[in-house]
Coordinates of all heavy atoms in Angstrom, one line a residue:
Y10 N -31.9 -16.6 -45.7 CA -30.8 -15.6 -46.0 C -30.6 -14.8 -44.8 O -29.5 -14.6 -44.4 CB -31.2 -14.7 -47.2 CG -30.1 -13.6 -47.4 CD1 -29.0 -13.8 -48.0 CD2 -30.3 -12.3 -47.0 CE1 -27.9 -12.8 -48.1 CE2 -29.5 -11.2 -47.1 CZ -28.3 -11.5 -47.7 OH -27.4 -10.5 -47.9
D11 N -31.7 -14.2 -44.2 CA -31.6 -13.2 -43.1 C -30.8 -14.0 -42.0 O -30.2 -13.4 -41.0 CB -32.8 -12.7 -42.7 CG -33.2 -11.6 -43.8 OD1 -32.4 -11.0 -44.4 OD2 -34.4 -11.5 -43.9
Q12 N -31.2 -15.3 -41.7 CA -30.7 -16.0 -40.6 C -29.3 -16.4 -40.7 O -28.5 -16.7 -39.7 CB -31.5 -17.2 -40.3 CG -33.0 -17.1 -40.0 CD -33.6 -18.5 -40.1 OE1 -33.1 -19.5 -40.4 NE2 -35.0 -18.4 -39.8
H13 N -28.7 -16.3 -42.0 CA -27.3 -16.7 -42.2 C -26.5 -15.7 -42.8 O -25.5 -15.8 -43.1 CB -27.3 -17.9 -43.3 CG -28.1 -19.1 -42.7 ND1 -27.7 -19.8 -41.8 CD2 -29.3 -19.5 -43.1 CE1 -28.5 -20.8 -41.5 NE2 -29.6 -20.7 -42.3
Y14 N -27.0 -14.4 -42.6 CA -26.3 -13.2 -43.0 C -25.9 -12.5 -41.8 O -26.6 -12.3 -40.9 CB -27.2 -12.5 -43.9 CG -26.5 -11.0 -44.3 CD1 -25.4 -10.9 -45.0 CD2 -27.0 -9.9 -43.7 CE1 -24.8 -9.7 -45.1 CE2 -26.6 -8.6 -44.0 CZ -25.4 -8.5 -44.8 OH -24.9 -7.3 -44.9
D15 N -24.6 -12.1 -41.7 CA -24.2 -11.3 -40.5 C -23.9 -9.8 -41.0 O -22.8 -9.5 -41.6 CB -22.9 -12.0 -40.0 CG -22.3 -11.3 -38.8 OD1 -22.8 -10.2 -38.4 OD2 -21.5 -11.8 -38.1
P16 N -24.8 -8.9 -40.7 CA -24.6 -7.7 -41.2 C -23.5 -6.9 -40.7 O -22.9 -5.9 -41.2 CB -26.1 -7.0 -41.1 CG -26.5 -7.7 -39.9 CD -26.1 -9.1 -40.0
V17 N -23.2 -7.2 -39.4 CA -22.1 -6.5 -38.6 C -20.7 -6.8 -39.3 O -19.9 -5.9 -39.6 CB -22.0 -6.9 -37.2 CG1 -20.8 -6.3 -36.5 CG2 -23.4 -6.5 -36.5
Q18 N -20.6 -8.1 -39.5 CA -19.2 -8.5 -40.2 C -19.3 -8.6 -41.8 O -18.5 -9.0 -42.5 CB -18.7 -9.8 -39.6 CG -18.4 -9.7 -38.2 CD -17.8 -11.0 -37.7 OE1 -17.6 -11.9 -38.3 NE2 -17.4 -10.8 -36.3
Q19 N -20.7 -8.3 -42.4 CA -20.8 -8.3 -43.8 C -20.4 -9.6 -44.4 O -19.5 -9.7 -45.2 CB -20.3 -7.2 -44.4 CG -20.8 -5.8 -44.0 CD -20.1 -4.7 -44.6 OE1 -18.9 -4.7 -45.0 NE2 -20.9 -3.6 -44.8
R20 N -21.1 -10.7 -43.9 CA -20.8 -12.1 -44.4 C -22.0 -12.8 -44.7 O -23.0 -12.6 -43.8 CB -19.7 -12.8 -43.6 CG -20.3 -12.9 -42.3 CD -19.1 -13.5 -41.4 NE -19.6 -13.9 -40.1 CZ -18.8 -14.5 -39.1 NH1 -17.4 -14.8 -39.3 NH2 -19.3 -14.9 -38.0
V21 N -22.0 -13.8 -45.5 CA -23.1 -14.8 -45.6 C -22.5 -16.2 -45.7 O -21.3 -16.5 -46.2 CB -23.9 -14.5 -47.0 CG1 -23.1 -14.7 -48.1 CG2 -25.2 -15.3 -47.0
A22 N -23.3 -17.2 -45.1 CA -22.8 -18.5 -45.0 C -22.8 -19.2 -46.4 O -24.0 -19.2 -47.1 CB -23.7 -19.3 -44.1
L23 N -21.7 -19.8 -46.8 CA -21.7 -20.5 -48.1 C -22.7 -21.8 -48.1 O -23.2 -22.0 -49.2 CB -20.2 -21.0 -48.4 CG -19.4 -19.7 -48.8 CD1 -17.9 -20.3 -48.8 CD2 -19.7 -19.2 -50.1
R24 N -22.7 -22.4 -46.9 CA -23.7 -23.6 -46.9 C -25.1 -23.3 -47.3 O -25.8 -24.2 -47.8 CB -23.5 -24.3 -45.7 CG -24.0 -23.6 -44.4 CD -23.9 -24.4 -43.3 NE -24.1 -23.6 -41.9 CZ -25.4 -23.3 -41.5 NH1 -26.4 -24.0 -42.1 NH2 -25.6 -22.5 -40.4
V25 N -25.4 -22.1 -47.1 CA -26.8 -21.6 -47.4 C -26.9 -21.4 -48.9 O -28.0 -21.9 -49.6 CB -27.3 -20.5 -46.7 CG1 -28.6 -19.8 -47.2 CG2 -27.3 -20.7 -45.2
L26 N -25.9 -20.8 -49.6 CA -25.9 -20.4 -51.0 C -25.7 -21.7 -51.9 O -26.3 -21.7 -52.9 CB -24.9 -19.5 -51.2 CG -25.0 -18.1 -50.5 CD1 -23.9 -17.2 -50.8 CD2 -26.2 -17.3 -51.1
Q27 N -24.9 -22.5 -51.5 CA -24.4 -23.7 -52.3 C -25.6 -24.5 -53.0 O -25.4 -24.8 -54.0 CB -23.4 -24.5 -51.7 CG -22.1 -23.7 -51.6 CD -21.0 -24.5 -50.7 OE1 -21.3 -25.3 -49.9 NE2 -19.7 -24.0 -50.9
P28 N -26.4 -24.9 -52.2 CA -27.5 -25.8 -52.7 C -28.6 -25.1 -53.5 O -29.4 -25.8 -54.2 CB -28.1 -26.6 -51.4 CG -27.9 -25.6 -50.4 CD -26.6 -24.9 -50.6
L29 N -28.6 -23.8 -53.4 CA -29.7 -23.1 -54.2 C -29.6 -23.1 -55.6 O -28.6 -23.1 -56.2 CB -29.8 -21.6 -53.6 CG -30.0 -21.4 -52.1 CD1 -29.9 -19.8 -51.8 CD2 -31.3 -22.0 -51.8
H30 N -30.7 -22.8 -56.3 CA -30.7 -22.7 -57.7 C -29.9 -21.5 -58.1 O -29.8 -20.5 -57.3 CB -32.1 -22.5 -58.2 CG -32.4 -22.5 -59.7 ND1 -32.2 -21.4 -60.5 CD2 -32.6 -23.6 -60.7 CE1 -32.3 -21.6 -61.7 NE2 -32.6 -23.0 -61.8
R31 N -29.3 -21.5 -59.3 CA -28.5 -20.2 -59.6 C -29.3 -19.0 -59.6 O -28.7 -18.0 -59.3 CB -27.8 -20.5 -61.0 CG -26.7 -19.6 -61.4 CD -25.7 -20.2 -62.4 NE -24.7 -19.2 -62.8 CZ -23.5 -19.1 -62.3 NH1 -23.2 -20.0 -61.4 NH2 -22.7 -18.4 -62.7
A32 N -30.6 -19.0 -59.9 CA -31.3 -17.7 -60.0 C -31.3 -17.1 -58.5 O -31.2 -15.9 -58.2 CB -32.6 -17.9 -60.5
L33 N -31.6 -18.1 -57.6 CA -31.6 -17.6 -56.1 C -30.1 -17.1 -55.7 O -30.2 -16.2 -54.9 CB -32.2 -18.7 -55.3 CG -33.7 -19.0 -55.5 CD1 -34.1 -20.2 -54.7 CD2 -34.6 -17.8 -55.1
Q34 N -29.2 -17.9 -56.1 CA -27.8 -17.4 -55.7 C -27.5 -15.9 -56.2 O -27.0 -15.2 -55.4 CB -26.9 -18.3 -56.4 CG -26.9 -19.7 -55.6 CD -25.8 -20.6 -56.4 OE1 -25.5 -20.5 -57.6 NE2 -25.5 -21.7 -55.8
R35 N -28.0 -15.8 -57.5 CA -27.8 -14.4 -58.0 C -28.6 -13.3 -57.3 O -28.1 -12.2 -57.0 CB -28.2 -14.3 -59.5 CG -27.4 -14.9 -60.4 CD -27.9 -14.6 -61.9 NE -27.2 -15.5 -62.8 CZ -27.8 -16.5 -63.5 NH1 -28.9 -16.8 -63.3 NH2 -27.0 -17.2 -64.2
R36 N -29.8 -13.6 -56.9 CA -30.6 -12.7 -56.1 C -30.0 -12.3 -54.8 O -30.0 -11.3 -54.4 CB -32.0 -13.3 -56.0 CG -32.9 -12.3 -55.4 CD -34.3 -12.9 -55.4 NE -34.8 -13.2 -56.8 CZ -35.9 -13.9 -57.0 NH1 -36.7 -14.3 -56.1 NH2 -36.2 -14.1 -58.3
L37 N -29.5 -13.3 -54.1 CA -29.0 -13.1 -52.7 C -27.6 -12.4 -52.8 O -27.3 -11.6 -51.9 CB -28.7 -14.6 -52.0 CG -30.1 -15.2 -51.7 CD1 -29.8 -16.5 -51.1 CD2 -30.8 -14.3 -50.8
I38 N -26.7 -12.7 -53.9 CA -25.5 -11.9 -54.0 C -25.9 -10.4 -54.4 O -25.2 -9.6 -54.0 CB -24.6 -12.6 -55.1 CG1 -24.2 -14.1 -54.6 CG2 -23.4 -11.7 -55.4 CD1 -23.3 -14.0 -53.3
R39 N -26.8 -10.3 -55.2 CA -27.4 -9.0 -55.5 C -27.7 -8.1 -54.3 O -27.3 -7.0 -54.1 CB -28.3 -9.0 -56.6 CG -28.7 -7.5 -57.1 CD -29.9 -7.5 -58.0 NE -31.2 -7.8 -57.4 CZ -31.9 -8.7 -57.8 NH1 -31.8 -9.4 -58.9 NH2 -33.1 -8.9 -57.0
R40 N -28.5 -8.9 -53.4 CA -29.0 -8.3 -52.1 C -27.7 -7.8 -51.2 O -27.7 -6.8 -50.7 CB -29.9 -9.1 -51.6 CG -30.5 -8.6 -50.4 CD -31.7 -9.5 -49.8 NE -32.2 -9.0 -48.6 CZ -32.9 -9.9 -47.8 NH1 -33.4 -11.0 -48.3 NH2 -33.4 -9.3 -46.7
L41 N -26.6 -8.7 -51.2 CA -25.5 -8.5 -50.4 C -24.9 -7.3 -50.9 O -24.4 -6.4 -50.2 CB -24.7 -9.8 -50.4 CG -23.2 -9.7 -49.7 CD1 -23.4 -9.4 -48.3 CD2 -22.5 -10.8 -50.0
L42 N -24.6 -7.4 -52.3 CA -23.8 -6.2 -52.9 C -24.5 -4.9 -52.8 O -24.0 -3.8 -52.7 CB -23.5 -6.5 -54.4 CG -22.5 -7.7 -54.6 CD1 -22.4 -8.1 -56.1 CD2 -21.2 -7.4 -54.0
Q43 N -25.9 -4.9 -52.9 CA -26.7 -3.7 -52.7 C -26.4 -3.0 -51.5 O -26.4 -1.8 -51.3 CB -28.1 -4.0 -52.9 CG -28.6 -4.2 -54.3 CD -29.9 -4.5 -54.5 OE1 -30.6 -5.1 -53.6 NE2 -30.6 -4.3 -55.7
Q44 N -26.2 -3.8 -50.4 CA -25.9 -3.3 -49.1 C -24.5 -2.7 -48.8 O -24.3 -1.9 -47.8 CB -26.1 -4.3 -48.0 CG -27.5 -4.8 -47.9 CD -27.9 -5.9 -47.1 OE1 -27.0 -6.3 -46.3 NE2 -29.1 -6.5 -47.0
V45 N -23.5 -3.0 -49.7 CA -22.2 -2.6 -49.5 C -21.6 -1.7 -50.6 O -20.7 -1.0 -50.3 CB -21.2 -3.8 -49.3 CG1 -21.7 -4.6 -48.0 CG2 -21.2 -4.7 -50.5
L46 N -22.2 -1.8 -51.8 CA -21.6 -0.9 -52.9 C -22.5 0.5 -52.9 O -23.5 0.6 -52.4 CB -22.0 -1.6 -54.2 CG -21.3 -2.9 -54.5 CD1 -21.5 -3.4 -55.8 CD2 -19.7 -2.7 -54.4
P47 N -21.8 1.5 -53.5 CA -22.4 2.9 -53.5 C -23.5 3.0 -54.5 O -24.4 3.8 -54.4 CB -21.1 3.8 -54.0 CG -20.1 2.8 -54.6 CD -20.4 1.6 -53.9
G48 N -23.5 2.1 -55.5 CA -24.5 2.1 -56.5 C -25.1 0.6 -56.7 O -24.7 -0.3 -55.9
M49 N -26.0 0.4 -57.7 CA -26.6 -0.7 -57.9 C -25.4 -1.6 -58.6 O -24.6 -1.3 -59.4 CB -27.7 -0.7 -59.0 CG -29.1 -0.1 -58.3 SD -29.7 -1.1 -57.0 CE -30.2 -2.4 -57.9
P50 N -25.4 -2.9 -58.2 CA -24.4 -3.9 -58.8 C -24.7 -4.3 -60.1 O -25.8 -4.3 -60.5 CB -24.5 -5.1 -57.8 CG -25.8 -5.1 -57.2 CD -26.0 -3.6 -57.1
T51 N -23.7 -4.4 -61.0 CA -23.9 -4.8 -62.4 C -24.0 -6.3 -62.5 O -23.6 -7.1 -61.5 CB -22.8 -4.3 -63.3 OG1 -21.4 -5.1 -62.8 CG2 -22.5 -2.9 -63.2
Y52 N -24.4 -6.8 -63.6 CA -24.6 -8.3 -63.8 C -23.2 -9.0 -63.6 O -23.0 -10.0 -63.1 CB -25.0 -8.5 -65.3 CG -25.2 -10.0 -65.7 CD1 -26.2 -10.8 -65.2 CD2 -24.1 -10.6 -66.4 CE1 -26.2 -12.1 -65.5 CE2 -24.2 -11.9 -66.7 CZ -25.3 -12.6 -66.3 OH -25.3 -14.0 -66.6
E53 N -22.2 -8.4 -64.1 CA -20.7 -8.9 -64.1 C -20.3 -9.0 -62.5 O -19.7 -10.0 -62.2 CB -19.7 -8.1 -64.8 CG -19.9 -8.1 -66.3 CD -21.1 -7.3 -67.0 OE1 -21.5 -6.4 -66.1 OE2 -21.5 -7.6 -68.1
Q54 N -20.7 -8.0 -61.8 CA -20.2 -8.1 -60.3 C -21.0 -9.1 -59.7 O -20.5 -9.8 -58.8 CB -20.6 -6.6 -59.7 CG -19.7 -5.6 -60.2 CD -20.2 -4.2 -59.9 OE1 -21.3 -3.9 -59.4 NE2 -19.4 -3.3 -60.0
I55 N -22.3 -9.3 -59.9 CA -23.1 -10.2 -59.4 C -22.6 -11.6 -59.7 O -22.4 -12.6 -58.9 CB -24.7 -10.0 -59.7 CG1 -25.1 -8.9 -59.1 CG2 -25.5 -11.4 -59.3 CD1 -26.5 -8.5 -59.7
E56 N -22.2 -12.0 -61.0 CA -21.8 -13.2 -61.5 C -20.4 -13.5 -60.9 O -20.2 -14.7 -60.6 CB -21.6 -13.2 -62.9 CG -22.9 -13.4 -63.7 CD -23.7 -14.7 -63.4 OE1 -23.0 -15.8 -63.5 OE2 -24.8 -14.8 -62.9
A57 N -19.6 -12.6 -60.6 CA -18.4 -12.7 -59.9 C -18.6 -13.3 -58.6 O -17.9 -14.2 -58.0 CB -17.5 -11.4 -59.8
G58 N -19.6 -12.7 -57.9 CA -20.1 -13.2 -56.5 C -20.4 -14.6 -56.6 O -20.1 -15.4 -55.7
V59 N -21.3 -14.7 -57.5 CA -21.9 -16.2 -57.7 C -20.8 -17.2 -58.0 O -20.6 -18.3 -57.4 CB -23.0 -16.3 -58.8 CG1 -23.3 -17.7 -59.1 CG2 -24.2 -15.5 -58.4
G60 N -19.7 -16.8 -58.8 CA -18.7 -17.8 -59.0 C -17.9 -18.2 -57.8 O -17.2 -19.1 -57.7
L61 N -17.8 -17.2 -56.7 CA -17.2 -17.5 -55.6 C -17.9 -18.4 -54.6 O -17.2 -19.0 -53.6 CB -16.9 -16.1 -54.8 CG -15.9 -15.2 -55.4 CD1 -15.9 -13.9 -54.7 CD2 -14.5 -15.8 -55.5
I62 N -19.1 -18.7 -54.9 CA -19.9 -19.7 -54.0 C -19.2 -21.0 -53.9 O -19.2 -21.7 -52.9 CB -21.3 -19.8 -54.4 CG1 -22.0 -18.4 -54.2 CG2 -22.1 -20.8 -53.8 CD1 -23.4 -18.2 -54.7
T63 N -18.6 -21.5 -55.1 CA -18.0 -22.7 -55.2 C -16.5 -22.6 -55.3 O -15.9 -23.7 -55.5 CB -18.6 -23.6 -56.4 OG1 -18.3 -22.9 -57.5 CG2 -19.9 -23.9 -56.1
A64 N -15.9 -21.5 -55.0 CA -14.5 -21.4 -55.2 C -13.6 -21.9 -54.0 O -14.3 -21.9 -52.9 CB -14.2 -19.7 -55.5
P65 N -12.4 -22.1 -54.2 CA -11.7 -22.5 -53.2 C -11.4 -21.3 -52.0 O -11.6 -20.1 -52.4 CB -10.3 -22.7 -53.6 CG -10.5 -22.8 -55.1 CD -11.6 -22.0 -55.5
N66 N -11.1 -21.9 -50.8 CA -10.7 -20.8 -49.7 C -9.8 -19.8 -50.2 O -8.9 -20.1 -50.9 CB -10.4 -21.6 -48.6 CG -10.6 -20.9 -47.2 OD1 -11.5 -20.1 -47.1 ND2 -9.7 -21.0 -46.3
R67 N -10.0 -18.6 -49.7 CA -9.1 -17.4 -50.0 C -9.2 -16.9 -51.5 O -8.5 -16.0 -51.8 CB -7.7 -17.7 -49.6 CG -7.6 -18.1 -48.1 CD -6.2 -18.2 -47.8 NE -5.8 -18.5 -46.4 CZ -4.9 -18.9 -45.9 NH1 -3.8 -19.1 -46.6 NH2 -4.7 -19.3 -44.6
S68 N -10.2 -17.4 -52.2 CA -10.4 -16.7 -53.4 C -11.0 -15.4 -53.3 O -11.8 -15.2 -52.2 CB -11.4 -17.6 -54.4 OG -10.7 -18.9 -54.6
R69 N -10.9 -14.5 -54.2 CA -11.5 -13.2 -54.2 C -11.9 -12.7 -55.4 O -11.5 -13.0 -56.5 CB -10.6 -12.4 -53.4 CG -9.3 -11.9 -54.0 CD -8.5 -10.9 -53.3 NE -8.9 -9.7 -53.9 CZ -8.2 -8.6 -53.5 NH1 -7.2 -8.5 -52.7 NH2 -8.6 -7.4 -54.3
S70 N -12.9 -11.6 -55.4 CA -13.3 -11.0 -56.5 C -12.3 -9.9 -56.9 O -11.4 -9.5 -56.0 CB -14.7 -10.3 -56.4 OG -14.6 -9.3 -55.3
S71 N -12.4 -9.3 -58.1 CA -11.7 -8.0 -58.3 C -12.2 -7.0 -57.5 O -13.3 -7.2 -56.9 CB -11.8 -7.8 -59.8 OG -13.1 -7.6 -60.2
T72 N -11.5 -5.7 -57.4 CA -12.0 -4.8 -56.5 C -13.4 -4.2 -57.2 O -13.3 -3.9 -58.3 CB -11.0 -3.7 -56.4 OG1 -9.7 -4.3 -55.9 CG2 -11.4 -2.6 -55.5
L73 N -14.3 -4.0 -56.3 CA -15.5 -3.5 -56.7 C -15.6 -2.1 -56.4 O -14.8 -1.5 -55.6 CB -16.6 -4.2 -56.0 CG -16.6 -5.8 -56.1 CD1 -17.7 -6.4 -55.2 CD2 -17.0 -6.1 -57.6
P74 N -16.6 -1.2 -56.9 CA -16.7 0.3 -56.6 C -16.8 0.4 -55.1 O -17.3 -0.4 -54.4 CB -18.0 0.6 -57.2 CG -18.3 -0.5 -58.4 CD -17.7 -1.7 -57.9
G75 N -16.1 1.5 -54.6 CA -16.2 1.8 -53.1 C -15.0 1.0 -52.5 O -14.9 1.1 -51.2
G76 N -14.1 0.4 -53.2 CA -12.9 -0.2 -52.7 C -13.2 -1.5 -51.8 O -12.5 -1.9 -51.0
V77 N -14.2 -2.2 -52.3 CA -14.6 -3.5 -51.6 C -14.4 -4.6 -52.5 O -14.3 -4.5 -53.8 CB -16.1 -3.5 -51.1 CG1 -16.2 -2.3 -50.1 CG2 -17.0 -3.4 -52.1
W78 N -14.3 -5.8 -51.9 CA -14.2 -7.1 -52.6 C -14.9 -8.2 -51.8 O -14.9 -8.0 -50.6 CB -12.9 -7.3 -53.2 CG -11.8 -7.5 -52.1 CD1 -11.3 -8.5 -51.4 CD2 -11.0 -6.4 -51.4 NE1 -10.4 -8.3 -50.5 CE2 -10.1 -7.0 -50.5 CE3 -10.9 -5.1 -51.8 CZ2 -9.3 -6.2 -49.9 CZ3 -10.0 -4.3 -51.1 CH2 -9.1 -4.9 -50.1
L79 N -15.1 -9.3 -52.4 CA -15.7 -10.4 -51.9 C -14.6 -11.3 -51.7 O -13.8 -11.6 -52.7 CB -16.8 -11.0 -52.6 CG -18.1 -10.1 -52.9 CD1 -19.0 -10.8 -53.8 CD2 -18.7 -9.9 -51.7
V80 N -14.5 -12.1 -50.6 CA -13.5 -13.1 -50.3 C -14.0 -14.4 -49.8 O -15.1 -14.2 -48.9 CB -12.5 -12.4 -49.4 CG1 -11.3 -13.6 -49.0 CG2 -11.9 -11.3 -49.9
V81 N -13.7 -15.5 -50.1 CA -14.2 -16.7 -49.6 C -13.2 -17.0 -48.3 O -12.0 -17.2 -48.4 CB -14.0 -18.0 -50.5 CG1 -14.3 -19.3 -49.9 CG2 -14.8 -17.6 -51.7
Q82 N -13.9 -17.0 -47.2 CA -13.2 -17.3 -45.9 C -14.1 -18.5 -45.3 O -15.1 -18.2 -44.5 CB -13.1 -16.3 -45.1 CG -12.1 -15.1 -45.5 CD -12.1 -14.1 -44.5 OE1 -12.7 -13.8 -43.5 NE2 -11.0 -13.1 -44.8
K83 N -13.9 -19.8 -45.9 CA -14.8 -20.8 -45.5 C -15.1 -20.9 -43.9 O -14.1 -20.8 -43.2 CB -14.4 -22.1 -46.0 CG -14.4 -22.0 -47.6 CD -14.6 -23.4 -48.1 CE -14.7 -23.2 -49.6 NZ -14.9 -24.3 -50.4
P84 N -16.3 -21.0 -43.5 CA -17.5 -21.1 -44.3 C -18.3 -20.0 -44.7 O -19.5 -20.0 -44.8 CB -18.4 -22.0 -43.2 CG -18.0 -21.4 -41.9 CD -16.5 -21.0 -42.0
W85 N -17.6 -18.9 -44.9 CA -18.3 -17.6 -45.2 C -17.9 -17.1 -46.5 O -16.6 -17.3 -46.9 CB -18.1 -16.6 -44.1 CG -18.4 -17.0 -42.7 CD1 -17.7 -17.5 -41.8 CD2 -19.8 -16.8 -42.1 NE1 -18.4 -17.7 -40.7 CE2 -19.8 -17.3 -40.8 CE3 -21.0 -16.4 -42.7 CZ2 -20.9 -17.4 -40.0 CZ3 -22.1 -16.4 -41.9 CH2 -22.0 -17.0 -40.6
L86 N -18.7 -16.2 -47.1 CA -18.3 -15.3 -48.3 C -18.4 -13.9 -47.6 O -19.5 -13.5 -47.1 CB -19.4 -15.5 -49.3 CG -19.2 -14.5 -50.5 CD1 -17.7 -14.8 -51.1 CD2 -20.2 -14.7 -51.6
V87 N -17.3 -13.3 -47.5 CA -17.1 -12.1 -46.7 C -16.9 -10.9 -47.6 O -16.1 -11.1 -48.6 CB -15.8 -12.3 -45.7 CG1 -15.8 -11.1 -44.9 CG2 -15.9 -13.5 -45.0
V88 N -17.5 -9.8 -47.2 CA -17.1 -8.5 -47.8 C -16.0 -7.8 -47.2 O -16.2 -7.6 -45.9 CB -18.4 -7.6 -47.8 CG1 -18.0 -6.3 -48.6 CG2 -19.6 -8.2 -48.6
L89 N -15.0 -7.4 -47.8 CA -14.0 -6.8 -47.1 C -13.8 -5.3 -47.9 O -14.1 -5.1 -49.0 CB -12.6 -7.5 -47.3 CG -12.6 -8.9 -46.5 CD1 -11.3 -9.6 -46.9 CD2 -12.7 -8.6 -45.1
S90 N -13.1 -4.4 -47.1 CA -12.8 -3.1 -47.6 C -11.5 -2.5 -47.2 O -10.9 -3.1 -46.4 CB -13.8 -2.0 -47.3 OG -14.0 -2.0 -45.9

């Protein structure tokens, strides 16, 4: 995860997340959201992020607390605000 996470641009490589077991995907998405949300991410927010791992390019989550959302910009899952 750390090798494929870009903290400056707040993005993670989809090719790293895609082959992982769903539980590991959830853990990594939770870790990403913990770094950008004002509070702890909820189960629904984490699942929305996991759903984007296999989503088409330019797919996005609903707006998350703090005015951020996740967007698929292949080959990355990007946090935007």
Side-chain angles (χ1 to χ4, degrees):
Y10 173 80
D11 290 330
Q12 297 172 356
H13 303 284
Y14 171 67
D15 182 350
V17 174
Q18 296 186 1
Q19 296 178 326
R20 62 187 189 177
V21 64
L23 288 168
R24 67 181 171 84
V25 173
L26 295 172
Q27 289 170 341
L29 297 177
H30 187 276
R31 191 154 177 98
L33 288 173
Q34 290 175 342
R35 282 188 197 108
R36 189 174 299 173
L37 294 176
I38 294 296
R39 183 182 72 230
R40 188 171 169 189
L41 173 65
L42 291 175
Q43 284 175 334
Q44 295 176 8
V45 297
L46 295 180
M49 290 297 291
T51 65
Y52 176 80
E53 290 79 17
Q54 293 165 345
I55 294 168
E56 282 300 305
V59 170
L61 290 173
I62 293 172
T63 57
N66 199 34
R67 298 188 183 165
S68 298
R69 62 175 267 186
S70 68
S71 58
T72 304
L73 301 169
V77 300
W78 58 91
L79 298 174
V80 179
V81 177
Q82 292 181 352
K83 295 208 175 183
W85 301 97
L86 181 59
V87 182
V88 177
L89 296 176
S90 57

